[in-house]
Amino acid sequence: QANRSVYEKARGTPSLSGMGTTVVCALVRGGLAQYVHVGDSRIYLFRNNKLLQLTKDHSMVQEMVEQGALTEEEAQNHPRKNLITRAVGTEKQVAADVFSLTAEPGDCLLL
């Protein structure tokens, strides 16, 4: 529904043409953490004094890293590191990545 709202607003307003946004959200209930994301906004898990990135960016540079064309270090300074390949509202439909994990006492999610 959020994608449809942004998409229709952008299509109906010439000055907003091409508008889109990234999104992350999480729900923690009953010992289960469910989370979703689109774009390059991230979700991290802080557990046992360690920070772990849970999501992978929907970006051109991330795809290049996964294909072996760039190293993680090269990706950090790539001139197109912020070019995203998926966003809410830029297309009629968007695929969000949805995951879950078992929450442990003391866990903290950073969105």
Side-chain angles (χ1 to χ4, degrees):
Q1 184 176 350
N3 186 73
R4 183 174 42 248
S5 294
V6 174
Y7 179 76
E8 289 175 0
K9 181 71 172 180
R11 286 195 51 166
T13 310
S15 64
L16 301 178
S17 180
M19 173 180 69
T21 188
T22 63
V23 67
V24 293
C25 60
L27 172 67
V28 181
R29 180 174 48 193
L32 184 67
Q34 298 173 297
Y35 56 96
V36 61
H37 89 109
V38 175
D40 63 353
S41 294
R42 297 177 176 173
I43 301 176
Y44 295 86
L45 170 65
F46 185 72
R47 176 184 281 171
N48 299 324
N49 291 319
K50 294 181 182 171
L51 195 61
L52 173 68
Q53 183 177 331
L54 296 179
T55 57
K56 287 189 179 182
D57 294 352
H58 298 134
S59 69
M60 182 186 74
V61 169
Q62 180 63 40
E63 289 177 5
M64 293 170 72
V65 168
E66 290 173 5
Q67 294 166 358
L70 286 178
T71 66
E72 291 284 346
E73 294 76 26
E74 292 169 329
Q76 291 178 5
N77 298 311
H78 195 278
R80 293 190 176 175
K81 69 179 182 178
N82 296 323
L83 181 62
I84 59 175
T85 56
R86 206 183 307 176
V88 171
T90 57
E91 301 289 334
K92 195 169 187 173
Q93 295 187 356
V94 66
D97 289 351
V98 181
F99 300 98
S100 63
L101 63 87
T102 301
E104 296 180 7
D107 281 356
C108 183
L109 292 176
L110 172 64
L111 286 66

